Amino acid sequence: MSTIAVVGAQWGDEGKGKVTDFLARDADIVVRYQGGNNAGHTVVADGQEFKLHLIPSGILYPEKMCLIGNGVVLDPEVFIREIDGLASRGINVDNLRISPRAHVIMPYHRKQDACDEESRGAKKIGTTGRGIGPAYADKISRTGIRMADLVDSESFKDSLKTALEAKNNLLKGVYGAEGSDFDEVYGTYSRFGERLSGFVADVSIILNEAIREGRNVLFEGAQGTLLDIDHGTYPYVTSSSPAAAGASLGSGVGPTRINKVIGVAKAYITRVGEGPFPTELNDGTGEKLRQRGHEFGTTTGRPRRCGWYDTVIARYAARINGLDYLAITKLDVMTGLERIKICTAYSYKGETLTEFPPTLKVLAGCEPVYEEMPGWTGDLTPARSFGDLPVNAQKYLNRISELSGVPVALIGVGPGREQTMVLNNLY
Ligand code: IMP
């Protein structure tokens, strides 16, 4: 029996969807524990491309159970669109369940997200605009609407009345924006509730029973360590806990029940949205990585900022998440670069920092300290074992693993399921 958490070790978009999809083959259950449709996973299975935002990547295996934990914020409209889209392509969605404790993203959350961003002006976070932050803020303020409310028309009416009054005051009174009409929202969302009621089940009970029975469970993280509300580059973060500890809280499984934590990292690094990024490449190399790696957001289409692999960040991710292994993705994208740099430390006001700083003020002033290696040529996409890789690519992987302090278990050399090498078996 194995229970594995797959977490992003960078700023999100590390290729977790592909790694989860790969590991899902041997899992009985895949559960998402945080975030919402701000995430975007592209999975290629049997030559077909699937873009998933909310539904766990395991859905492409018909017999797996896929769960959405209490830590997720769920936009019912997006969820319905996603299940309908999958069903129309012949994917079975009957094994999908949503926690009654998951909070619902309402239309006023999306409006508030846009107004909040506009009011931040030059200090905007660059959110995905999906209402994620406001939905989590309401959860913490204890004014949120949960799935259990959405599927119970009386309870929904009551909680929506209270919530909408407050939101309309904020949107109209403070932001001068348009409010929402109760009857309209109630009508649309109670229909969503009716449609989704069959999916609602106690995810914590399902998971704990499965673990007791010795089944394999995969906890699928969204976003990444540096976007974690506690451990990320605050305030340029998302509003949930993508770090491994979030897997426990966001699914209702005790931390002692999670056996392994895998950190997914690209062979380089990317970031979307605002905020300091020490190894960012604002040059032809950055552009090459962006074009070759198709580094444009799955959710918003925004170009991703690209930079060299940063082992200060990798060591930080290893510490925060207790990483057992790394899964390194997109190694193939780096082919053809003459020289490759690895960031080993930061230089800040003449001082060498080997630990990731807690403030943006310091991070913004950090210059990367690099070690250089020669690059490699040749197409990596057909490689199926470590020995198939060019020697310089092998040396690069060994070096980043050594400097990150974590062994590599998986290597990705292309988007397909078969383009994944296993160095250490995880089950
Ligand atoms: P939010 O999650 O929409 O509130 O956005 C907050 C920050 O997290 C912004 O910088 C987003 O670009 C970033 N973010 C949210 N989801 C993802 C993701 O799945 N990948 C990468 N960045 C993300």
Side-chain angles (χ1 to χ4, degrees), residues 11-13 38-40 125-129 132-133 223 227 237-238 272-273 302:
W11 269 295
D13 306 315
N38 47 350
I125 291 167
T127 72
T128 60
I132 306 294
Q223 291 87 43
L227 291 172
V237 292
T238 192
V272 276
R302 287 180 290 178

Side-chain angles (χ1 to χ4, degrees), residues 272-292:
V272 276
E274 311 301 316
F277 178 178
T279 64
E280 183 168 14
L281 286 162
N282 288 310
D283 60 7
T285 307
E287 193 51 38
K288 206 181 262 179
L289 291 173
R290 182 157 39 247
Q291 295 302 332
R292 296 194 45 193

Side-chain angles (χ1 to χ4, degrees), residues 276-336:
F277 178 178
T279 64
E280 183 168 14
L281 286 162
N282 288 310
D283 60 7
T285 307
E287 193 51 38
K288 206 181 262 179
L289 291 173
R290 182 157 39 247
Q291 295 302 332
R292 296 194 45 193
H294 309 292
E295 297 296 356
F296 298 90
T298 317
T299 300
T300 59
R302 287 180 290 178
R304 296 178 185 142
R305 301 154 67 193
C306 299
W308 296 118
Y309 189 88
D310 184 331
T311 62
V312 181
I313 290 175
R315 288 192 298 273
Y316 181 63
R319 168 157 59 84
I320 295 300
N321 297 294
L323 295 184
D324 293 299
Y325 292 105
L326 278 171
I328 299 290
T329 61
K330 294 192 145 181
L331 185 66
D332 54 299
V333 172
M334 297 188 82
T335 290

Side-chain angles (χ1 to χ4, degrees), residues 370-419:
Y370 286 121
E371 166 175 310
E372 272 194 47
M373 296 185 76
W376 60 85
T377 53
D379 182 11
L380 262 50
T381 58
R384 293 294 174 268
S385 71
F386 194 71
D388 293 342
L389 295 170
V391 172
N392 284 352
Q394 295 182 15
K395 284 187 181 160
Y396 176 67
L397 284 169
N398 287 337
R399 189 65 184 141
I400 61 176
S401 170
E402 186 180 16
L403 288 166
S404 307
V406 187
V408 176
L410 299 175
I411 303 166
V413 289
R417 269 182 187 164
E418 69 292 353
Q419 290 168 315

